[in-house]
Amino acid sequence: MFTLNTAVKLPNRFSYFSLLNLYSSDNSLKETANYYTEQNIRWKIADDSPLDLTLQMNFRTGDDNDRHRLGVRWRLNNTSYLQDIFKVINLNYSLNFHAVQFDNKDASVWQIEHVFLMKFPYISERIYLSGFADHTFNQDLSKKIPNSPIVGEVQMGFRLYDNLFFISEYRLNQYRRSDVNNFAIGFQYKMIW
């Protein structure tokens, strides 16, 4: 799998975040034939607010399976009465409440997305732990899939040199019944401009 993440702070309290996964469906190193992408546009509702209005657009391989969501993101580590605790433990944590979903599914489907980044300066400035968990509710699914499926990843990274990292990642995808849990290792290069 090849993953590309992009994050940009824009004028007028807007920000943009995207991810693109390109992957092979047969777990080989052949040409990648599948993709999944999330495009997120966020608007911070006030200069000192921990809340953002969000638009998320998902596109993936296949027909009639794209998904778009509207919601609110709460950045707990930027919340006045919580920020000192999060600063002490070196944790950034946010909850995205994707309350409205537009796709070919029932209109009552909604999602909570957890996103975190933790650093360990008391051990090493080179180590980080990050991840996400998407928890979907009210989706009419096959009996083989849990009622409220979770897709999540936890990644441990170690900076080798400059902006090059060695990473290990645990993945959980309850939509894929034949391959729910898996583990990956690889490299990440971070470009900042």
Side-chain angles (χ1 to χ4, degrees), residues 75-86:
R75 291 171 280 107
L76 280 78
N77 56 287
N78 293 136
T79 303
S80 60
Y81 57 90
L82 297 174
Q83 63 188 6
D84 289 341
I85 296 167
F86 281 91

Side-chain angles (χ1 to χ4, degrees), residues 27 144-146 149-153 169-183:
N27 293 325
K144 295 179 181 179
I145 298 176
I150 296 173
V151 175
E153 294 179 1
E169 187 171 275
Y170 168 73
R171 301 173 183 157
L172 168 74
N173 187 336
Q174 292 184 330
Y175 289 99
R176 288 193 314 233
R177 301 317 302 153
S178 63
D179 191 17
V180 175
N181 300 285
N182 56 75
F183 182 76

Side-chain angles (χ1 to χ4, degrees), residues 6-22:
T6 305
V8 180
K9 288 185 180 180
L10 301 167
N12 301 313
R13 300 190 310 270
F14 280 95
S15 64
Y16 169 77
F17 172 76
S18 73
L19 69 89
L20 170 64
N21 289 337
L22 301 173

Side-chain angles (χ1 to χ4, degrees), residues 98-101 103 105-111 137-140:
H98 299 294
V100 179
Q101 182 167 295
D103 61 6
K105 305 291 183 191
D106 188 305
S108 65
V109 176
W110 61 284
Q111 183 189 76
F137 302 90
N138 293 336
Q139 192 171 358
D140 185 22

Side-chain angles (χ1 to χ4, degrees), residues 50-77:
L51 301 176
D52 304 320
L53 299 179
T54 65
L55 165 65
Q56 182 182 87
M57 297 170 289
N58 297 355
F59 304 96
R60 68 193 83 217
T61 306
D63 297 325
D64 297 325
N65 60 5
D66 296 336
R67 181 170 293 149
H68 311 300
R69 299 181 173 114
L70 295 173
V72 176
R73 179 173 75 152
W74 178 22
R75 291 171 280 107
L76 280 78
N77 56 287

